[in-house]
């Protein structure tokens, strides 16, 4: 995954590009670069490493131009290096690219036969030379872009400039996100909305196979066939401050604390307690079909897969429909038993996760209906789905997902409640009202948990030096154990495993020692007595117990070296509260160890390539 930014207008170009890249840095950080007009010449600056290296390089640079491109890279083809950093050039063409060109080897061989000399190891450079070849064939810039893209297979978000035209940029999209920003006498493009927020909130979202020609005063959008398209301008209600840290040390900590608000935004307007009716803006699947469906598949990756595991229990409990959950990268290769009576629920924060998109396409080919749970409006996933339930987490900048996860849980809970009440008749009107009321109380309960941050930080200080952790839970809180382990390993680089507590004797118990803290997700529900036995087994081997449990759960607290108490809540909604202490624990361990919390090594925010 990479991030791209482009601008044509009247502002000084470098501040615009660098500010946009700063807000896209979560999309990649192994190199960066900019290309901009300086009078009638295009100048290119690139640097390996994080964006700060490029910023330092440009500190004393002055450019006499207001048109340019920027790129922040997450390497796919070619190792991280200044040579492989974007922008890339070919003759009169300079461009930046997010995505992967699948047939670049064939195209590269063809170009080499014609005498092209390549400067990098990237697939991107092929595109620049291909467009330049079309210019040599007598095509106009717009025709050259279209002709080249019609020869390309793969995914791309492209920003393109021609060295003979300082007043025009081109942008194109295929299976990689790209949004156009509209200002007064200026236009922008970027991989994601936060890069545009300092400058405009008026946006046009490109869809697959669309090309935009941008000047200061005009945006012209066509498809790959050359047909002109009319696209609506949408006002983005994210304020620029929503993409800033607002005084928090890291974006991750800010986003942990934003969860109560994000949860409210996600459930607000979906259900009316007065009428008992659900309201879905994008529920494009008929009630009749939903009543006939035989089973549900859930696919997702990473943290979203953990949400799917919890969603399965929501759905089976409230609808009594059998549900399977698959990691999308496995689902797409195992010839799943999907048929026209299957509902596929795809979960993705970005809506651009490559494996999830591939799984959706397979399911659609087999006749299934697709419902997506997604945080990004106009993403690839939402456009290939029959129905969409948007989460409303707002921009999530930190690589490690927090508020996207809890809003996914809320969306899945509401889907289950809707299907149970409106479609399957397995949840009564009274029970629906009660459960929705319980959900509305979760944000204030979550605020209570967030107030425990000082004591969680104190626990983090005591356990931060250990190099191995085990996370255990049962029922709905087994996926929370998985999520807690993932958060810790992602940002602190400490080895951590999540397990069902009932499986402890089937292997993990061999690892128990004073040097390996065991984190129990053990609220006082019907399974707590089973977990107490696991805790005894840890204590008998001199292990340390960190527990997340319900306030006043005396037996759990007495068996804990460190206990974090949460307020009581309906057992179905416990994961929304039990996950928060684990997010904070992971954050503070990582911060105390001095790691790069928001941009942990080797990770990117969205995995948009396989």
């Amino acid at each position: 995954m990479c991030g791209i930014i482009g601008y044509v207008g009247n502002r000084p170009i470098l501040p615009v590009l660098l500010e946009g890249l700063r807000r896209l840095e979560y999309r990649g950080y192994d190199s960066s670069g900019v290309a901009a007009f300086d009078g009638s010449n295009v100048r290119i600056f690139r640097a390996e490493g994080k964006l700060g290296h490029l910023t330092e390089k440009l500190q004393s640079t002055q450019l006499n131009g207001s048109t340019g491109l920027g790129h922040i890279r997450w390497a796919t083809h070619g190792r991280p290096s200044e040579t492989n950093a974007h922008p890339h050039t070919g003759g009169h063409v300079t461009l930046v690219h997010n995505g992967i060109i699948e047939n670049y080897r064939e195209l590269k061989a063809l170009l080499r036969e014609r005498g092209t000399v390549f400067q990098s190891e990237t697939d991107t450079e092929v595109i620049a030379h291909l467009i330049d070849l079309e210019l040599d064939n007598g095509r106009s810039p717009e025709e050259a872009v279209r002709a080249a893209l019609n020869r390309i297979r793969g995914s791309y978000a492209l920003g393109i400039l021609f060295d003979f035209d300082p007043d025009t940029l081109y942008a194109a999209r295929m299976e990689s996100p790209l949004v156009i920003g509209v200002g007064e006498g200026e236009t922008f493009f970027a991989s994601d909305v936060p890069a545009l927020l300092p400058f405009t909130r008026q946006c046009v979202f490109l869809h697959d196979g669309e090309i935009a020609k941008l000047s200061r005063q005009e945006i012209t959008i066509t498809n790959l066939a050359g047909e002109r398209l009319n696209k609506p301008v949408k006002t983005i209600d994210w304020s620029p401050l929503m993409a800033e840290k607002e005084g928090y040390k890291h974006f991750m900590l800010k986003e942990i604390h934003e969860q109560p608000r994000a949860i409210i935004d996600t459930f607000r307007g979906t259900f009316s307690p007065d009428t008992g009716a659900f309201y879905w803006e994008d529920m494009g699947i008929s009630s009749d079909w939903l009543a006939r469906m035989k089973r549900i598949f859930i696919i997702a990756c990473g943290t979203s897969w953990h949400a799917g595991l919890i969603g399965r229990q929501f759905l089976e409990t409230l609808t009594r429909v059998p549900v399977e959950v698959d990691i999308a990268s496995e689902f797409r290769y195992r010839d799943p038993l999907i048929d026209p009576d299957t509902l596929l629920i795809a979960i993705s924060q970005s809506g651009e996760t490559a494996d999830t998109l591939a799984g959706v396409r397979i399911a659609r080919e087999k006749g299934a209906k697709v419902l997506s749970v997604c945080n990004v409006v106009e993403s690839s996933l939402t456009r290939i789905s029959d129905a969409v339930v948007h989460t409303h987490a707002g921009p999530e900048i930190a690589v490690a997902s927090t508020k996207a996860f809890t809003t996914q849980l809320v969306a899945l809970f509401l889907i289950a409640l809707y299907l149970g009440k409106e479609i399957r008749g397995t949840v009564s009107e009274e029970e629906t009202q009660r459960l929705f009321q319980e959900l509305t109380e979760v944000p204030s309960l979550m605020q209570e948990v967030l107030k425990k941050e000082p004591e969680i930080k104190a626990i983090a200080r005591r356990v931060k030096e250990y190099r191995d952790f085990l996370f255990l839970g049962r029922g709905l809180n087994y996926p929370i154990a998985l999520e807690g382990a993932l958060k810790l390993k992602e940002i602190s680089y400490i080895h951590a495993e999540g397990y069902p507590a009932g499986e402890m004797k089937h292997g993990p118990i061999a690892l128990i020692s004073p040097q390996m803290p065991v984190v129990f997700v053990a609220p006082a529900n019907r399974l707590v007595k089973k977990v107490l036995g696991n805790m005894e087994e840890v204590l008998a081997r001199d292990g340390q117990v960190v527990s997340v449990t319900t306030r006043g759960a005396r037996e759990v607290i007495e068996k804990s070296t460190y206990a974090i108490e949460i307020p009581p809540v309906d057992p179905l909604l416990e994961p929304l509260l039990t996950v928060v202490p684990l997010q904070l624990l992971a954050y503070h361990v990582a911060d105390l160890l001095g790691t790069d919390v928001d941009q942990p090594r080797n990770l990117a925010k969205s995995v948009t390539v396989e």
Side-chain angles (χ1 to χ4, degrees):
M1 183 182 71
C2 307
I4 68 173
I5 178 84
Y7 175 72
V8 54
N10 298 303
R11 302 175 192 246
I13 187 64
L14 288 181
V16 174
L17 297 180
L18 291 173
E19 177 62 16
L21 291 179
R22 184 182 72 79
R23 291 165 177 264
L24 292 171
E25 200 169 4
Y26 64 93
R27 297 184 66 87
Y29 31 85
D30 60 43
S31 62
S32 57
V34 295
F37 276 93
D38 187 11
S40 60
N41 299 316
V42 175
R43 297 180 65 187
I44 296 174
F45 305 87
R46 297 183 292 196
E48 185 178 351
K50 293 194 174 182
L51 181 62
H53 297 168
L54 179 66
T55 304
E56 290 173 14
K57 202 170 191 177
L58 293 170
Q59 205 160 28
S60 59
T61 302
Q62 297 288 328
L63 296 182
N64 183 23
S66 297
T67 302
L69 311 166
H71 187 275
I72 193 134
R73 185 170 188 246
W74 173 252
T76 52
H77 290 85
R79 61 184 176 82
S81 69
E82 187 170 324
T83 300
N84 289 328
H86 300 215
H88 289 289
T89 60
H92 295 288
V93 180
T94 300
L95 57 76
V96 291
H97 170 221
N98 171 38
I100 286 182
I101 305 307
E102 295 175 4
N103 61 334
Y104 85 99
R105 291 180 181 86
E106 302 97 288
L107 294 171
K108 195 169 190 177
L110 174 67
L111 290 163
R112 277 181 169 151
E113 287 177 8
R114 295 172 178 266
T116 301
V117 177
F118 289 88
Q119 304 299 318
S120 75
E121 305 167 300
T122 68
D123 55 341
T124 298
E125 191 181 349
V126 169
I127 312 171
H129 288 292
L130 198 60
I131 295 171
D132 192 62
L133 175 63
E134 298 294 346
L135 286 177
D136 290 343
N137 291 336
R139 299 183 189 274
S140 70
E142 190 170 350
E143 291 169 341
V145 170
R146 186 174 298 111
L149 295 184
N150 276 312
R151 299 174 71 174
I152 286 171
R153 294 197 315 271
S155 62
Y156 54 78
L158 290 168
I160 307 159
L161 61 79
F162 295 88
D163 63 8
F164 50 77
D165 186 357
D167 299 313
T168 309
L169 291 177
Y170 294 85
R173 171 194 168 127
M174 181 66 73
E175 298 182 5
S176 290
L178 196 61
V179 59
I180 307 298
V182 184
E184 292 291 331
E186 58 185 0
T187 55
F188 310 76
F189 65 76
S191 295
D192 207 350
V193 169
L196 304 179
L197 291 180
F199 313 109
T200 182
R201 287 165 56 182
Q202 304 302 304
C203 294
V204 177
F205 291 88
L206 290 191
H207 292 177
D208 287 347
E210 294 180 351
I211 302 167
K213 180 180 179 181
L214 312 178
S215 68
R216 288 171 174 79
Q217 301 294 341
E218 186 179 19
I219 300 169
T220 304
I221 300 174
T222 57
N223 59 23
L224 288 172
E227 300 165 331
R228 188 157 181 171
L229 307 173
N230 293 316
K231 306 277 292 184
V233 178
K234 299 192 175 185
T235 301
I236 303 300
D237 59 4
W238 296 349
S239 70
L241 282 176
M242 288 179 70
E244 295 293 343
K245 294 180 185 175
E246 297 180 356
Y248 290 97
K249 186 174 182 180
H250 294 98
F251 281 113
M252 181 180 178
L253 185 60
K254 171 178 173 279
E255 288 158 8
I256 290 171
H257 282 267
E258 285 177 335
Q259 288 177 114
R261 189 272 309 159
I263 286 172
I264 292 170
D265 287 347
T266 298
F267 68 64
R268 180 184 286 133
T270 58
F271 176 74
S272 169
D274 295 332
T275 65
F278 284 86
Y279 300 97
W280 304 107
E281 289 183 13
D282 298 300
M283 184 55 72
I285 303 175
S286 71
S287 298
D288 289 344
W289 187 91
L290 289 170
R292 296 194 308 270
M293 71 173 175
K294 299 294 192 299
R295 62 176 175 174
I296 299 170
F297 269 80
I298 298 175
I299 62 169
C301 299
T303 286
S304 295
W305 177 63
H306 298 159
L309 292 172
I310 294 169
R312 171 174 60 192
Q313 297 193 53
F314 290 162
L315 287 159
E316 290 190 340
T317 299
L318 296 175
T319 72
R320 310 312 298 161
V321 175
V323 181
E324 292 190 40
V325 184
D326 254 329
I327 296 173
S329 58
E330 293 295 319
F331 173 87
R332 65 183 291 192
Y333 291 114
R334 71 174 183 85
D335 192 20
L337 298 175
I338 299 287
D339 60 33
D341 293 323
T342 301
L343 173 66
L344 182 93
I345 299 178
I347 311 170
S348 171
Q349 187 280 138
S350 67
E352 305 294 343
T353 308
D355 287 318
T356 303
L357 291 171
V360 167
R361 293 185 183 105
I362 289 167
R364 290 185 68 88
E365 288 170 4
K366 292 174 177 287
K369 297 288 188 184
V370 177
L371 188 162
S372 61
V373 175
C374 188
N375 189 42
V376 180
V377 177
E378 297 286 325
S379 65
S380 297
L381 177 61
T382 62
R383 289 197 304 277
I384 62 174
S385 300
D386 298 290
V388 183
V389 175
H390 287 105
T391 58
H392 296 283
E396 189 175 68
I397 306 302
V399 168
S401 181
T402 52
K403 61 179 180 173
F405 173 72
T406 48
T407 55
Q408 286 169 353
L409 295 187
V410 170
L412 290 164
F413 181 77
L414 290 168
I415 291 167
L417 202 56
Y418 164 70
L419 293 175
K421 175 185 178 289
E422 299 287 338
I423 307 299
R424 315 298 291 195
T426 49
V427 182
S428 68
E429 176 76 35
E430 295 73 23
E431 183 67 356
T432 302
Q433 294 275 1
R434 184 190 71 79
L435 287 172
F436 187 79
Q437 179 60 35
E438 289 268 358
L439 178 62
T440 65
E441 294 170 6
V442 165
S444 62
L445 299 178
M446 193 177 277
Q447 291 284 14
E448 290 185 40
V449 179
L450 290 167
K451 289 176 183 177
K452 294 183 174 290
E453 185 177 352
E455 69 181 72
I456 296 169
K457 184 176 180 178
I459 295 170
R461 188 172 285 112
R462 293 185 177 98
V463 301
K464 66 182 174 65
E465 301 301 334
Y466 295 104
R467 306 315 302 161
D468 298 280
F469 279 70
L470 183 64
F471 287 72
L472 300 174
R474 286 180 182 259
L476 282 162
N477 286 295
Y478 158 52
I480 295 300
L482 293 175
E483 177 63 10
L486 177 62
K487 284 292 148 297
L488 186 64
K489 72 179 79 169
E490 279 182 315
I491 62 173
S492 72
Y493 318 143
I494 292 170
H495 172 249
E497 288 190 64
Y499 253 85
E503 289 291 294
M504 193 177 82
K505 291 181 184 177
H506 295 269
I509 197 169
L511 300 172
I512 303 299
S513 76
Q515 283 70 51
M516 189 178 78
V518 182
V519 180
F520 283 92
V521 188
N525 57 31
R526 64 185 180 85
L527 296 173
V528 69
K529 291 198 177 295
K530 300 293 184 183
V531 179
L532 288 170
N534 298 130
M535 297 175 78
E536 291 279 10
E537 290 162 349
V538 173
L539 294 172
R541 290 156 180 82
D542 298 321
Q544 297 188 62
V545 170
V546 180
S547 67
V548 176
T549 191
T550 309
R551 185 170 55 225
R554 182 178 54 80
E555 289 181 285
V556 175
I557 295 166
E558 287 176 352
K559 289 177 170 57
S560 301
T561 314
Y562 311 105
I564 305 164
E565 297 180 60
I566 64 169
V569 68
D570 186 277
L572 276 176
L573 298 171
E574 282 172 350
L576 288 163
L577 299 187
T578 55
V579 73
V580 176
L582 303 187
Q583 294 170 343
L584 287 169
L585 181 66
Y587 169 79
H588 283 293
V589 168
D591 186 43
L592 290 165
L593 291 174
T595 66
D596 192 340
V597 172
D598 285 336
Q599 296 173 359
R601 67 189 184 202
N602 302 332
L603 297 177
K605 182 64 181 171
S606 300
V607 183
T608 58
V609 296
E610 186 176 2

